[in-house]
Amino acid sequence: MMIYLDNCCFNRPFDDQGQIRIRLEAEAKLFIQQQIIEKTLELAWSYILDFENSVNPFPERKMSVVRWKRHAAVYVGESAALLVLANEIQSLGVAPKDSLHVACSIEARCSYFMTTDDHLLKTLPDYGKIQIVNPVGFVTESRGEARR
């Protein structure tokens, strides 16, 4: 199964772990990354991930995120069709960079787009082209499916 993690998802372990929600999302994200290493999940990467990570002011965070690029099964670059899709998503109230992330995940034919961004999760809860979830929701859902 192909998945896409946005930049805020990759950076979740660096956030204040004193908050239970953040700690749970960080643990779920680390669990997902282990599944990527074990090849249980496939990771999609994109030019917008490269761009956002390149402007991260924290070198240790930047290096931690960029290391995941080598695990990607698919790389999505910019194209005219991708920009059209991103504009469609943006018209639904999604921020420009976030719309590019979602469009890249659709272009990569991902089953899931993962984010910790509440606005994005609330704006596209039932977006028909891809399932948008936070890492905890993904782990809960995928582990439940495995038991059926």
Side-chain angles (χ1 to χ4, degrees):
M1 174 187 331
M2 186 77 64
I3 62 168
Y4 187 102
L5 285 74
D6 72 357
N7 199 49
C8 64
C9 201
F10 273 109
N11 281 284
R12 190 49 117 193
F14 297 107
D15 294 335
D16 176 11
Q17 298 301 305
Q19 298 178 44
I20 187 67
R21 175 193 170 183
I22 291 172
R23 192 166 58 246
L24 288 170
E25 289 174 344
E27 286 295 325
K29 183 259 191 182
L30 295 171
F31 176 79
I32 291 162
Q33 285 184 170
Q34 186 60 40
Q35 290 185 313
I36 293 166
I37 290 169
E38 294 171 0
K39 308 248 187 253
T40 305
L41 295 172
E42 291 183 299
L43 177 66
W45 198 269
S46 71
Y47 78 101
I48 191 65
L49 275 170
D50 284 336
F51 171 76
E52 277 196 313
N53 193 49
S54 74
V55 296
N56 188 330
F58 303 101
E60 71 281 357
R61 295 177 189 191
K62 186 186 296 189
M63 289 307 300
S64 176
V65 173
V66 79
R67 286 185 190 114
W68 283 97
K69 185 176 182 177
R70 70 178 175 205
H71 295 285
V74 172
Y75 181 86
V76 179
E78 187 176 86
S79 69
L82 181 99
L83 295 176
V84 167
L85 179 56
N87 283 332
E88 172 191 313
I89 295 165
Q90 189 176 346
S91 74
L92 300 173
V94 176
K97 285 186 227 168
D98 291 336
S99 68
L100 288 168
H101 282 293
V102 175
C104 286
S105 70
I106 293 167
E107 182 74 18
R109 300 177 195 258
C110 292
S111 299
Y112 289 90
F113 174 89
M114 281 178 246
T115 185
T116 58
D117 182 321
D118 286 336
H119 177 72
L120 188 53
L121 289 162
K122 289 176 185 171
T123 304
L124 297 175
D126 298 314
Y127 191 61
K129 297 182 180 182
I130 192 165
Q131 290 187 296
I132 299 175
V133 296
N134 76 12
V136 175
F138 174 80
V139 170
T140 302
E141 186 175 312
S142 66
R143 298 305 285 181
E145 288 178 7
R147 283 186 281 241
R148 287 185 204 160

